[in-house]
Amino acid sequence: IPQGVATLEIGPFASPTLTGPNVSYFDVLDAQQIQAECDRLGISRERVPEVIDFVSRDTELSDISRKFDLVYSSHAIEHTPDVYAHLPSVPGLLNEAGLYSLAIPDKRYCFDHYKALSTVGDAINAYKEKRQDCSLSAWIDRYTHGTHNDPARHWAGDHGPPPFQDNVSIIEVALREFESDTNASKMAPHFWFFTPDTFAEIVRTGAALGYTGLELREIYGTAQGTCEFFAVLERNN
């Protein structure tokens, strides 16, 4: 990121997309906790940021007092229990011409393939419930409705075997983990399952209802062979 462009990346975890002296990071874990999670998951900690500038276990952005030209979120919004509660927290972080850019997994081409698409109704329901936590059902579905994460195979029509929700041993593992005291990984499940069209619909509806303070500026479809699409939002003036 060039000088003069104040940037905040949300959810870099162990692999930040943006780097440079003008980039700050926000995550639910600090750098040491991310390193510990890398060790637990058996992944490299080489690119973990030295410092996570802003840490909030409940993903609370309103405590950040700075303004940014760009807020960037990579594969983070799908982990937010309440989409319509998350989006209004972003305009207050943006300078007048600031942009909110997101990279979002397309559920058709990742391990979420067999999970039901999220709807506007789902988003409104979560908003009205003021949903904040990972439900037991979302945690179990992570284990029972997941599949492989190879985008090329999904694009070729190979989605793996259908969900094995009746596998009691898998459900027992999920229950043990959910009920354990070490629950740092409870932010791991995806709560939302988007395609470019459904995400655009949810954002436009939220803006029309006055929920978000953000409007959709651009949506970029999922490139063949990949598992993510991109969106750019701007302040609703």
Side-chain angles (χ1 to χ4, degrees):
I1 296 295
Q3 288 188 346
V5 181
T7 301
L8 176 69
E9 179 169 347
I10 297 174
F13 192 60
S15 184
T17 302
L18 309 178
T19 59
N22 298 320
V23 179
S24 300
Y25 299 112
F26 171 93
D27 215 310
V28 298
L29 305 174
D30 63 28
Q32 289 184 326
Q33 290 171 321
I34 292 174
Q35 290 174 350
E37 277 292 281
C38 289
D39 294 341
R40 186 183 72 84
L41 297 170
I43 61 178
S44 172
R45 53 157 68 185
E46 182 178 351
R47 297 195 63 235
V48 174
E50 291 185 7
V51 175
I52 302 297
D53 303 89
F54 308 101
V55 179
S56 173
R57 187 69 182 86
D58 58 3
T59 67
E60 182 57 62
L61 295 172
S62 60
D63 293 337
I64 301 174
S65 58
R66 292 174 54 191
K67 299 279 188 180
F68 300 92
D69 303 303
L70 171 67
V71 174
Y72 176 77
S73 167
S74 178
H75 291 241
I77 195 169
E78 68 276 8
H79 296 274
T80 304
D82 183 349
V83 169
Y84 286 153
H86 163 74
L87 291 175
S89 64
V90 177
L93 300 176
L94 296 174
N95 291 322
E96 186 173 352
L99 298 175
Y100 183 27
S101 180
L102 305 95
I104 306 166
D106 187 324
K107 60 89 61 179
R108 298 171 295 178
Y109 307 114
C110 70
F111 50 68
D112 291 327
H113 176 84
Y114 287 113
K115 297 176 183 176
L117 271 172
S118 299
T119 67
V120 168
D122 294 329
I124 294 174
N125 185 53
Y127 182 71
K128 293 297 185 180
E129 287 182 352
K130 302 185 185 302
R131 191 177 300 160
Q132 295 181 338
D133 300 318
C134 173
S135 67
L136 179 58
S137 62
W139 185 259
I140 291 175
D141 285 351
R142 173 191 184 216
Y143 289 81
T144 59
H145 283 72
T147 183
H148 70 80
N149 204 39
D150 184 338
R153 285 175 58 190
H154 285 298
W155 278 90
D158 173 11
H159 308 301
F164 43 93
Q165 61 265 30
D166 59 345
N167 190 320
V168 174
S169 62
I170 293 294
I171 294 174
E172 288 175 340
V173 170
L175 287 170
R176 282 198 301 272
E177 289 199 3
F178 187 84
E179 294 164 357
S180 71
D181 293 332
T182 56
N183 60 0
S185 58
K186 283 193 185 170
M187 289 304 296
H190 288 183
F191 294 101
W192 303 98
F193 312 104
F194 300 118
T195 66
D197 288 342
T198 61
F199 180 78
E201 180 184 13
I202 287 171
V203 171
R204 289 186 179 118
T205 302
L209 291 171
Y211 290 166
T212 66
L214 290 165
E215 292 184 349
L216 185 67
R217 174 164 173 166
E218 191 63 80
I219 191 98
Y220 299 89
T222 308
Q224 185 165 346
T226 72
C227 69
E228 63 186 359
F229 62 95
F230 299 87
V232 180
L233 311 183
E234 60 187 353
R235 290 170 56 182
N236 182 345
N237 296 316

